[in-house]
Structure formats: structure tokens, C-alpha cells
Amino acid sequence: MNKNKLLAIFVFQLFCQNYLLSQTQPENYVFFNLDRELIRNASFYDFRQFAGAQIKYTWRSLEREKDVYDFSTIEEDRLFLLSKGKKLFIQIQDVSFSSNIRNVPNYIIEDPQYHGGINSQYEFADDNDNNPRETGWVSRRWDRAVAERFHKLIMELGKQFDGKIIGITLPETSVDFGSTGKYYPIGFTPEIYREAIKANMNATHLAFNQSMVIQYVNFMPGEWLPWDDKGYLSSLFEYAELLKIGIGGPDLIPYKRNQMNHGYSFAQKYQGRIKLGFAVQEGNYNQKNEQTGWTLTVQEIYDFAKNYLKTNYIFWYPEEPYFTRDVKPLLLREIR
């Protein structure tokens, strides 16, 4: 066989491989947030195009007191979904987006050894960090004492659920203490925070070596891409590949500039090398498509996730009217 014919065969095989890769269907889950009781609606569990549910569980609800764990809600949800032929992704929440909600146990806040346990996040009126407005609370992930307790929680969860749930997601990396350092919490620097996120990734990888691990990575404090690249975000993708865990993110909004410069850019680079999972969350459905100037369609969201990001998992928030009117009919067309 001559060289030209061999080359033609090779090119054709490569084309077929790439075509098949592009045609791979992502698994679709419903992101119920904290509304776990909704998994009992037949409109969800009878819809075969949904592989399962993604549910948030707060650290506070899982560790009522120090070393007193209660995983009964996870087990109840897992068994119910299993009875309906569905899978469970859990997300462990240590952050809130309301100044009235704290998602860590009381002892973490009250015991002095945890240095308050949580810190406020802010929005600012300008780049000089003026007129801060509290937007929620995040656990002191960078504080070794707090991190050790979070890792203990993850280890205990792994003992009970590794291999019994399809996966576990860790909440987004984005935290906002401003850019000047005036509102940095005690002990916080962007470099220390990066290492803390890596430690969380590693602890979850060690606890869950059968179930899928996905770290939500969207933005990192201390850099803003592409103009101010400190390597914080890129290092998390590199570390995920090293650990053989997944990466994903909240707010699946196609072509949104900030996301395109950050998480989406690296997700595209690492597709096929690590598992990817992205969530369509509340408020995403009516965002503007920055390529067209028109409101996004669910078809555009799906096509972006499947063909641009080549994500392995999509988590759909059941926001109406979009969910019933658009999401379910789309999945009926796409998944036979």
C-alpha cells in the first residue's frame, strides 16, 4: 500500500474519531439546589432523558455538632433516586450568597481556634474597593484549622458514599474581597487561597476514588484574565489533570466575555483530558448572547455545552417557564 493511501486512511480515521467525539452526548441532570424534595415529582423521575439529580447539602446540615455527622438526607435521596433508576450528584456547600445565611456549623463560628470560621464577601462600587456591600459568607478555606474540619467532613462522606453516588461537586472558587487588599480577611492572600483550593481538591480525590469528583472553577481572586494572569486559575486545571478529577462551574452562559476569558477558556483546552460538568443555574436562561445581542435560547446553551465545551455533564436548574417549555422538549429531540 503506497504512502498516499496510508495517509488518506489515517486522515479519515482521525476525522471519524473527532466526529464521534463531537457527537458524544453529555449526561443531563436536574440541579435542584437545596430543594431536595422535588426529586419526588414524577415529572422528573419519569423523564428518562435525565440521568439523575444534583443536590446541595450544606456543611452545617451534615455536621450538626463537632464530629457529629448526619448523612441521613443524602442516604434517603440516594435510595429514592436508585429506586427510580436515577443517579445522585452531591454538592457540599460551605458558602452562601446572602448575608443572612451561614452554611458552616456553629462550632466553626464560635470556637476561637477557627478565627471566626467564616468571612463576608463583598460587592464594591469601583476598583478602589469603596462602598462595600456584603453579599454572603464563605468559610475560611485558607485557614488550616477550618480546612482540616472540612477535609474531615469529606473523608466521612467518602467512607459512606464513595462508589454509591455518581459524583461530588465542590462549590465555585470565586470569592470577592476586593482587589486592593483593604478587605482581605486575616491570613488570606491569593497564593494561600490557591493552595487551599488544591488541598480541597486533593482531600476529595482521596476520599472519593470511585465516584466522580468535580471542582467548580470559575474565577480566582488576585488575577483577571487575560490582562493580569498570575497562573492561579490555570494551575487548578493542571492539578485536576494530575489528580484525574473533573472541573466545572456554575452559570453556563455561552459566550459571556468574563467566563470566556476564564473558566471556559481552560475548559476548552482541557476537554478530553479531564471530565467537565457545568450548571445552568437560576437566572442563566434569560441572559444575553453576547455574540448575537439576543436573549439566549436553550438550544444555544445546549449546543455550547455539547460542542464548544464538550462537557460530560450538564446540570439544569428547573426554572420556569424555561424548564418545561424549552429544556425538556430539547432533550426529547436530542436524546433518543
Side-chain angles (χ1 to χ4, degrees):
M1 189 177 293
N2 63 45
K3 291 182 179 179
N4 288 338
K5 194 167 185 178
L6 284 172
L7 179 61
I9 292 172
F10 172 77
V11 170
F12 178 73
Q13 289 175 335
L14 186 62
F15 169 79
C16 290
Q17 290 171 358
N18 289 335
Y19 177 79
L20 290 172
L21 181 62
S22 70
Q23 297 303 301
T24 300
Q25 295 281 2
E27 280 196 347
N28 293 274
Y29 291 76
V30 180
F31 167 54
F32 286 107
N33 205 332
L34 295 167
D35 298 321
R36 47 183 290 270
E37 68 279 358
L38 295 181
I39 65 174
R40 286 158 176 77
N41 290 347
S43 60
F44 155 66
Y45 63 71
D46 281 343
F47 194 78
R48 69 174 184 82
Q49 282 74 11
F50 292 134
Q54 183 192 41
I55 304 174
K56 277 185 186 177
Y57 304 89
T58 67
W59 183 358
R60 185 184 187 89
S61 70
L62 298 176
E63 188 180 13
R64 306 278 182 180
E65 301 174 30
K66 188 173 183 178
D67 289 323
V68 178
Y69 299 101
D70 181 0
F71 301 155
S72 58
T73 54
I74 299 178
E75 180 66 0
E76 180 183 329
D77 295 342
R78 184 187 75 84
L79 291 175
F80 177 81
L81 290 167
L82 185 65
S83 74
K84 302 298 183 182
K86 302 295 186 186
K87 307 171 190 176
L88 175 61
F89 254 101
I90 66 174
Q91 180 169 319
I92 308 305
Q93 199 72 3
D94 68 334
V95 59
S96 74
F97 302 99
S98 167
S99 58
N100 298 319
I101 299 173
R102 296 162 173 80
N103 282 332
V104 304
N106 283 337
Y107 79 87
I108 291 288
I109 299 171
E110 296 167 356
D111 191 327
Q113 69 175 303
Y114 304 112
H115 313 110
I118 54 176
N119 285 108
S120 292
Q121 296 195 76
Y122 303 94
E123 286 182 353
F124 299 92
D126 54 38
D127 292 335
N128 294 320
D129 295 353
N130 293 320
N131 302 316
R133 183 178 72 85
E134 288 187 355
T135 58
W137 300 89
V138 62
S139 74
R140 289 175 53 84
R141 297 167 176 171
W142 57 93
D143 187 316
R144 181 172 296 181
V146 176
E148 286 176 354
R149 296 306 307 169
F150 186 72
H151 297 167
K152 177 79 184 304
L153 169 70
I154 295 297
M155 181 182 69
E156 295 299 324
L157 283 166
K159 289 178 182 177
Q160 184 162 340
F161 295 110
D162 185 29
K164 297 180 179 179
I165 58 172
I166 186 64
I168 175 173
T169 56
L170 297 176
E172 64 189 74
T173 55
S174 176
V175 291
D176 197 349
F177 305 124
S179 57
T180 65
K182 286 192 296 185
Y183 290 90
Y184 280 7
I186 294 173
F188 174 90
T189 69
E191 294 81 9
I192 291 173
Y193 183 71
R194 174 196 60 203
E195 295 308 308
I197 294 296
K198 286 184 177 181
N200 284 351
M201 294 165 68
N202 187 55
T204 312
H205 158 68
L206 292 175
F208 288 87
N209 51 49
Q210 297 181 62
S211 301
M212 188 68 230
V213 175
I214 294 179
Q215 170 70 62
Y216 276 179
V217 174
N218 46 0
F219 306 98
M220 284 289 283
E223 67 178 4
W224 192 251
L225 306 179
W227 304 278
D228 183 20
D229 186 355
K230 302 290 181 53
Y232 302 145
L233 196 67
S234 61
S235 70
L236 299 184
F237 280 83
E238 292 169 4
Y239 196 55
E241 185 175 29
L242 178 67
L243 294 179
K244 295 182 173 57
I245 68 170
I247 289 285
D251 298 320
L252 183 50
I253 308 172
Y255 307 111
K256 191 171 181 65
R257 184 175 304 168
N258 291 341
Q259 276 84 350
M260 293 294 287
N261 289 338
H262 290 80
Y264 296 169
S265 172
F266 289 104
Q268 191 186 45
K269 176 181 176 182
Y270 278 83
Q271 59 192 213
R273 295 159 60 180
I274 59 176
K275 294 286 188 180
L276 298 170
F278 286 86
V280 185
Q281 300 196 332
E282 186 174 12
N284 291 175
Y285 293 103
N286 61 359
Q287 292 286 314
K288 183 175 74 173
N289 184 331
E290 294 187 9
Q291 279 197 332
T292 66
W294 296 91
T295 301
L296 282 167
T297 67
V298 167
Q299 185 72 59
E300 287 172 333
I301 294 172
Y302 182 81
D303 289 344
F304 181 82
K306 177 187 173 185
N307 301 320
Y308 183 88
L309 295 176
K310 293 186 171 60
T311 189
N312 303 94
Y313 309 101
I314 304 177
F315 307 105
W316 299 93
Y317 184 71
E319 183 177 0
E320 298 295 358
Y322 314 100
F323 189 70
T324 299
R325 185 191 67 196
D326 302 321
V327 173
K328 295 177 77 173
L330 176 141
L331 295 182
L332 282 170
R333 293 193 304 270
E334 296 286 342
I335 304 171
R336 301 296 182 184

